[in-house]
Amino acid sequence: MIALVDCNNFYASCERLFQPQLIGKPVVVLSNNDGCVIARSNEAKALGIRMGVPAFEIKELIANEHVSVFSSNYALYGDLSARVMHLLQAAAPEVEIYSIDEAFMHLDGIPEKELLPFCMDLRQKIRKWTGIPVSIGVAATKTLAKVANRYVKKQSAQNGVFVLNDSNQIKTTLQEVGIGDIWGMGGATSKKLNGIGVHTAADFVALPLPYVRKQFTVTGERTWRELQGESCIELETLVPTKKNICTSRSFGTMLNDYETIAEAVSNHAASCSAKLRAQKTVASVIQVFIHTNGFRKDLPQYGSNICMQLPQPSNDAGLIIHTALLGLKKIFVKGYAYKKAGIIVSELSAANAVQGNLFETLNPRKKEVGLVLDALNARFGNQKLRIAAQGFGKTWHLKQEKRSPCYTTRWDNLLTIS
């Protein structure tokens, strides 16, 4: 059996953890630069606040209904997520961390009659040790576990755990699941199925397998089999190596001077190099991009990108920053108000299998410098030690006017109890 553990309204729950007076009240979390709603408590959902709605469009609703609004605090969310995942990994031998707030667990070896008490105990332990409420759906396949998890969130009588292991129970549950709510069903596929009268998961599994295979390829067939109780999607317990890495941010305010944008690009390039070292890979190509604010129709628009080939695959921060700035100089045009810049590193390969260049000699100590840089920043705080080009101005940083303290990751933000 497979369990899907999903943190309830995760970002909102993280904010409530340190402000318990918000329990039972509407809470929303905003995206970068406080732009759009990316998380909502159940109370905020009940007010009709949609996911992705721009904050300025619901300004009056927020004021009238006393909605608590927070800027995204990814340092806090990431730390609390790691604590939840650590408990899951201690409870089961195989865990796939699917996202920041979801994970699949193998429950093989646990007798069927003990599945419910095991999950209830795990749920209570997570709530007690981390303060984060979770819902757990259990079934024979990952897709059915997703169905069970979605179902239990709507059924308060289930106490946060739903074991979907009876054939009649599965049939009844699938009749209540819309086709668009099935894991892996995209919008185009859902629309196509609706067009032939398939509106629920039960309708979908009633289709003949040859028809599903022909019309919806191997992905549709795999989903069909999973809903029938046949496991086709294995747990990915090892994090796959990324094929490319992107770091980009919208500026807190629009910028028109090269120096400030160059500082932002340098920081993005340094972040990419650190991520490369973390997964023990090197990059061959650096792409730099900048663009103005497409929503400001009253301003002239411009956007451009450029790919720069490294002389030799590398994860050296100095080389990647230098190459990125060379690219930025080529695409930067004066007279525009820029809103966003970013870096993409691609054509990645293993760091211990780099193809040499006859005409380039790289300093072997650069590798040691990068490792020391990472170790010191891990010990003393992010970017305590940095390349000079990264600067310290930070005028390009995100607008986060409503961000809560980093209660669990910064000593000076520790919660004070008086």
Side-chain angles (χ1 to χ4, degrees):
M1 298 293 281
I2 296 173
L4 173 65
V5 182
D6 185 9
C7 300
N8 299 339
N9 306 319
F10 182 54
Y11 292 174
S13 294
C14 290
E15 299 295 349
R16 282 175 163 173
L17 179 58
F18 297 95
Q19 299 191 50
Q21 72 274 16
L22 298 179
I23 295 175
K25 298 179 180 179
V27 175
V28 298
V29 178
L30 303 180
S31 62
N32 292 338
N33 278 319
D34 296 344
C36 303
V37 173
I38 58 171
R40 307 158 294 163
S41 66
N42 288 334
E43 296 78 10
K45 295 175 185 178
L47 293 174
I49 298 176
R50 307 186 318 276
M51 184 70 81
V53 64
F56 73 88
E57 290 186 7
I58 56 171
K59 197 171 182 180
E60 290 187 9
L61 177 62
I62 288 172
N64 294 337
E65 299 295 338
H66 306 289
V67 179
S68 296
V69 181
F70 293 91
S71 302
S72 50
N73 188 344
Y74 297 118
L76 176 65
Y77 308 151
D79 182 65
L80 291 173
S81 171
R83 298 182 187 210
V84 173
M85 300 307 169
H86 178 74
L87 290 177
L88 299 183
Q89 290 168 333
E94 292 185 54
V95 175
E96 175 190 340
I97 300 176
Y98 182 67
S99 67
I100 193 171
D101 62 347
E102 290 180 281
F104 290 100
M105 303 170 58
H106 254 313
L107 301 183
D108 294 347
I110 300 177
E112 190 168 312
K113 64 180 181 180
E114 295 181 16
L115 287 171
L116 182 59
F118 172 83
C119 291
M120 291 290 293
D121 179 68
L122 177 61
R123 183 173 183 267
Q124 291 170 4
K125 182 182 291 186
I126 293 171
R127 184 62 181 267
K128 182 178 180 180
W129 290 13
T130 69
I132 301 299
V134 302
S135 297
I136 303 177
V138 182
T141 70
K142 291 174 77 173
T143 304
L144 281 176
K146 274 275 195 178
V147 169
N149 189 280
R150 176 178 287 273
Y151 179 83
V152 75
K153 285 190 173 184
K154 299 179 180 179
Q155 304 293 326
S156 58
Q158 298 288 339
N159 295 317
V161 177
F162 183 38
V163 180
L164 191 58
N165 58 350
D166 177 81
S167 58
N168 291 328
Q169 190 181 44
I170 293 173
K171 183 178 180 180
T172 301
T173 304
L174 293 183
Q175 290 173 348
E176 299 180 21
V177 177
I179 197 69
D181 293 331
I182 300 174
W183 183 46
M185 284 291 185
T189 302
S190 299
K191 186 176 181 180
K192 183 177 180 180
L193 286 165
N194 288 335
I196 59 172
V198 176
H199 300 286
T200 68
D203 295 336
F204 180 65
V205 298
L207 293 174
L209 179 57
Y211 177 82
V212 172
R213 183 185 297 122
K214 180 179 179 180
Q215 296 294 323
F216 304 101
T217 69
V218 67
T219 302
E221 178 183 351
R222 187 165 55 218
T223 300
W224 186 92
R225 290 182 181 276
E226 285 256 324
L227 291 172
Q228 298 276 12
E230 180 183 344
S231 182
C232 302
I233 308 174
E234 296 296 325
L235 259 66
E236 297 181 6
T237 55
L238 296 177
V239 180
T241 300
K242 295 179 180 179
K243 296 181 179 180
N244 56 63
I245 297 172
C246 175
T247 301
S248 65
R249 291 288 185 275
S250 295
F251 305 133
T253 58
M254 289 186 287
L255 303 174
N256 53 24
D257 61 300
Y258 173 82
E259 290 74 17
T260 306
I261 296 175
E263 182 179 304
V265 167
S266 298
N267 278 271
H268 297 333
S271 178
C272 283
S273 69
K275 292 176 182 178
L276 286 169
R277 293 191 295 273
Q279 67 174 25
K280 297 180 173 58
T281 56
V282 291
S284 297
V285 175
I286 311 297
Q287 181 180 358
V288 186
F289 63 87
I290 53 174
H291 62 74
T292 54
N293 187 348
F295 294 101
R296 290 292 303 271
K297 304 301 182 183
D298 57 319
L299 297 175
Q301 300 295 315
Y302 170 76
S304 185
N305 67 86
I306 187 172
C307 289
M308 306 289 289
Q309 186 81 30
L310 291 176
Q312 190 169 319
S314 176
N315 56 26
D316 173 50
L319 177 60
I320 292 176
I321 290 174
H322 174 73
T323 305
L325 292 180
L326 289 177
L328 178 63
K329 286 181 180 179
K330 293 183 178 181
I331 62 175
F332 178 82
V333 177
K334 291 182 179 180
Y336 291 97
Y338 293 95
K339 184 59 179 176
K340 189 173 185 178
I343 299 290
I344 301 174
V345 293
S346 57
E347 294 189 22
L348 308 189
S349 56
N352 59 0
V354 177
Q355 177 66 48
N357 186 325
L358 180 64
F359 304 103
E360 295 286 342
T361 303
L362 299 180
N363 187 345
R365 298 193 62 129
K366 288 288 185 70
K367 179 180 179 180
E368 298 176 14
V369 170
L371 296 176
V372 171
L373 183 71
D374 295 336
L376 290 174
N377 283 331
R379 180 178 179 184
F380 295 107
N382 187 35
Q383 294 193 359
K384 289 295 183 183
L385 190 63
R386 62 179 69 191
I387 306 297
Q390 293 179 250
F392 290 89
K394 298 184 180 180
T395 56
W396 51 273
H397 272 203
L398 296 172
K399 180 175 68 176
Q400 295 178 308
E401 296 175 347
K402 302 179 184 296
R403 194 182 75 175
S404 56
C406 298
Y407 298 104
T408 63
T409 57
R410 294 183 61 177
W411 287 107
D412 55 343
N413 283 177
L414 282 176
L415 189 65
T416 301
I417 301 176
S418 55

